[in-house]
Amino acid sequence: MQSMTERETPSVDGLVIAILGGTGDQGRGLARRFALAGHQVLIGSRSAERAQSAAAELGHGVRGLANADAAREAGVVIAAVPWEGHGELLSALAGELAGKIVVDCVNPMGFDKQGAYPLPVAEGGPAEGSAAQQAAALLPGSRVVAAFHHVSAVLLLDPEVDTMDLDVLVLGDDRDATELVQALAGRIPGVRGIYAGRLRNCGQIEALTANLVSINRRYKAHAGLRITDI
Amino acid sequence: MQSMTERETPSVDGLVIAILGGTGDQGRGLARRFALAGHQVLIGSRSAERAQSAAAELGHGVRGLANADAAREAGVVIAAVPWEGHGELLSALAGELAGKIVVDCVNPMGFDKQGAYPLPVAEGGPAEGSAAQQAAALLPGSRVVAAFHHVSAVLLLDPEVDTMDLDVLVLGDDRDATELVQALAGRIPGVRGIYAGRLRNCGQIEALTANLVSINRRYKAHAGLRITDI
């Protein structure tokens, strides 16, 4: 008998990945790692030109496109956009994103003299409370998964860093989709993709990024999380 | 020159520890581990008799007292009480807790068919938003620190478990107090006490317990957290 924890890991071979907001640090960092893992990666931006120039700088076959074109061509779309404008950008792409897995890795966060703190996500309806829930509410035709919140862009982009010592927490209500994103996380050397709950439990995962900022500041580190006993 | 990260670890030798709500699983588990580490531990309960009987069962010199008496005799007081009644209990003990370090480890959480989810903490004032912030607002004479949210009571109580593979995240606005609680966490074999931000960033740490419940359920584990790169 196959237990729940022994389901087969879905294959992500040949998966085309688009990264909206792919010209930012987080987006470029993820693009670089997935390209190194052999994926075709499309960087999306509001401006196709800026996307092309960021892609050229990254190399490894990464291509730059306008956000809508990147979304249309990809199997999985990662939203690595700033929190400001997150909702508008996703709404505008609802058509291109329909039927696809959309991975939200946005951290609604503010900064002041005392460091980082989570911004409350306006509860526009019963389905919000986090960036990922907002995405799910705005993209009823997509399968929204939340992941990659805590991955250091600095480490992703560092050519000296071959392997990363952290787990990616993956949240979502669609099991096949979360398992695919877990497998995708596992394409980054050292990383495990760990299921960490439904979307309704995503707010605290996004907000936890503020604690990692505090930890990094105190310990002069690029802190990551590992889940023990699994 | 001594850098910020090289401050001396404060000594916790001889520290008397009271645990309010010490007859619950989490309270008894922490009591057991601190008693094993050589501390005098006082279990507090609404009923002195129930506290005495839980203490007798634990052994290792643990004593049971009414909550107010336990608070009065201790140097550090851990609040391991249920979220329901948390505010009333602490208000009633504000006098006994004045001048002391109060460690809040309460997770405001609900459960339904889909598992655990965080309960919103009524924003009674600018200082709330988490159990620990509520404690700080109700105990202006105490130094409130938040810690021990994610430590599995099952593992704490398991006589076969000698060492625990996890970090305790410690939050607070008073540096001497957070460092003392970090040192206290380090008395549990295997555990590191890691500073993880100010009290305003505590809500997501409490809520994260819901994600650990999801992880435990999916992977049949007693999951803990480790912070990497420090």
Side-chain angles (χ1 to χ4, degrees):
Chain A
M1 203 184 75
Q2 197 183 32
S3 88
M4 278 178 67
T5 50
E6 287 167 293
R7 286 164 58 117
E8 252 180 63
T9 302
S11 168
V12 290
D13 290 348
L15 197 65
V16 178
I17 302 166
I19 305 184
L20 309 179
T23 57
D25 287 345
Q26 189 77 357
R28 286 184 302 119
L30 290 171
R32 178 168 174 275
R33 295 289 168 173
F34 291 128
L36 284 172
H39 289 281
Q40 191 186 329
V41 179
L42 311 173
I43 276 185
S45 171
R46 282 178 200 274
S47 141
E49 271 174 33
R50 255 186 303 144
Q52 281 153 12
S53 115
E57 213 177 295
L58 280 169
H60 304 292
V62 177
R63 288 194 294 138
L65 296 166
N67 278 324
D69 295 324
R72 206 176 290 116
E73 284 195 34
V76 166
V77 181
I78 298 177
V81 301
W83 169 236
E84 184 138 283
H86 171 265
E88 284 134 282
L89 186 135
L90 293 181
S91 307
L93 297 173
E96 287 82 356
L97 295 172
K100 309 208 165 177
I101 293 177
V102 175
V103 185
D104 201 297
C105 58
V106 174
N107 300 308
M109 220 163 35
F111 286 87
D112 62 18
K113 275 189 206 164
Q114 299 196 327
Y117 59 94
L119 295 174
V121 176
E123 300 253 356
E128 297 196 17
S130 63
Q133 285 165 290
Q134 184 185 79
L138 295 171
L139 304 171
S142 305
R143 301 153 79 193
V144 174
V145 173
F148 301 111
H149 305 88
H150 308 139
V151 186
S152 158
V154 174
L155 297 183
L156 287 171
L157 285 166
D158 187 339
E160 309 271 297
V161 173
D162 291 328
T163 178
M164 297 185 72
D165 184 13
L166 59 87
D167 291 333
V168 164
L169 304 182
V170 178
L171 295 95
D173 298 338
D174 176 326
R175 180 140 185 184
D176 291 333
T178 54
E179 287 185 345
L180 186 133
V181 176
Q182 288 174 250
L184 196 59
R187 300 302 292 252
I188 304 174
V191 171
R192 297 187 302 177
I194 304 286
Y195 173 75
R198 290 174 172 269
L199 280 191
R200 69 172 179 176
N201 279 321
C202 194
Q204 57 266 30
I205 298 299
E206 296 173 3
L208 187 62
T209 308
N211 301 85
L212 290 172
V213 171
S214 302
I215 291 170
N216 287 344
R217 192 186 266 209
R218 171 67 57 93
Y219 297 97
K220 318 248 178 281
H222 298 295
L225 295 178
R226 282 287 190 198
I227 305 294
T228 61
D229 197 36
I230 63 173
Chain B
M1 204 183 74
Q2 197 184 30
S3 89
M4 278 179 67
T5 50
E6 288 167 284
R7 285 164 57 116
E8 252 179 64
T9 302
S11 169
V12 291
D13 290 350
L15 198 65
V16 178
I17 302 166
I19 304 184
L20 308 179
T23 58
D25 286 345
Q26 188 78 356
R28 286 183 304 118
L30 290 171
R32 177 168 175 276
R33 295 291 168 172
F34 291 129
L36 284 171
H39 289 281
Q40 192 185 328
V41 178
L42 312 174
I43 275 185
S45 172
R46 281 177 202 275
S47 142
E49 270 173 36
R50 255 186 301 142
Q52 280 152 14
S53 114
E57 213 177 294
L58 280 169
H60 303 293
V62 177
R63 288 193 294 138
L65 296 166
N67 277 325
D69 296 323
R72 207 177 289 116
E73 283 195 34
V76 167
V77 180
I78 299 177
V81 300
W83 169 237
E84 184 138 282
H86 172 264
E88 284 134 281
L89 188 135
L90 293 181
S91 307
L93 296 175
E96 287 83 356
L97 295 172
K100 309 207 166 176
I101 293 176
V102 176
V103 185
D104 202 297
C105 59
V106 174
N107 300 309
M109 221 164 34
F111 287 88
D112 62 19
K113 274 189 207 164
Q114 300 196 326
Y117 58 93
L119 295 174
V121 176
E123 299 252 358
E128 297 195 18
S130 63
Q133 285 165 290
Q134 183 186 78
L138 295 171
L139 305 172
S142 305
R143 299 152 80 192
V144 173
V145 173
F148 301 112
H149 305 88
H150 309 140
V151 186
S152 158
V154 174
L155 297 183
L156 288 171
L157 286 166
D158 188 338
E160 310 270 295
V161 173
D162 290 329
T163 179
M164 299 185 70
D165 183 14
L166 59 88
D167 292 333
V168 163
L169 303 182
V170 178
L171 295 96
D173 298 338
D174 176 325
R175 180 140 185 185
D176 291 333
T178 53
E179 288 185 345
L180 187 134
V181 175
Q182 287 175 249
L184 196 59
R187 300 301 292 250
I188 304 174
V191 171
R192 298 187 302 177
I194 304 286
Y195 173 76
R198 292 174 171 270
L199 280 191
R200 69 172 179 176
N201 279 322
C202 193
Q204 58 265 30
I205 299 298
E206 296 172 4
L208 187 62
T209 308
N211 300 84
L212 290 172
V213 171
S214 302
I215 291 170
N216 287 342
R217 192 186 266 208
R218 170 68 56 94
Y219 297 96
K220 319 248 178 280
H222 297 295
L225 293 178
R226 283 287 190 196
I227 305 294
T228 60
D229 197 36
I230 63 172

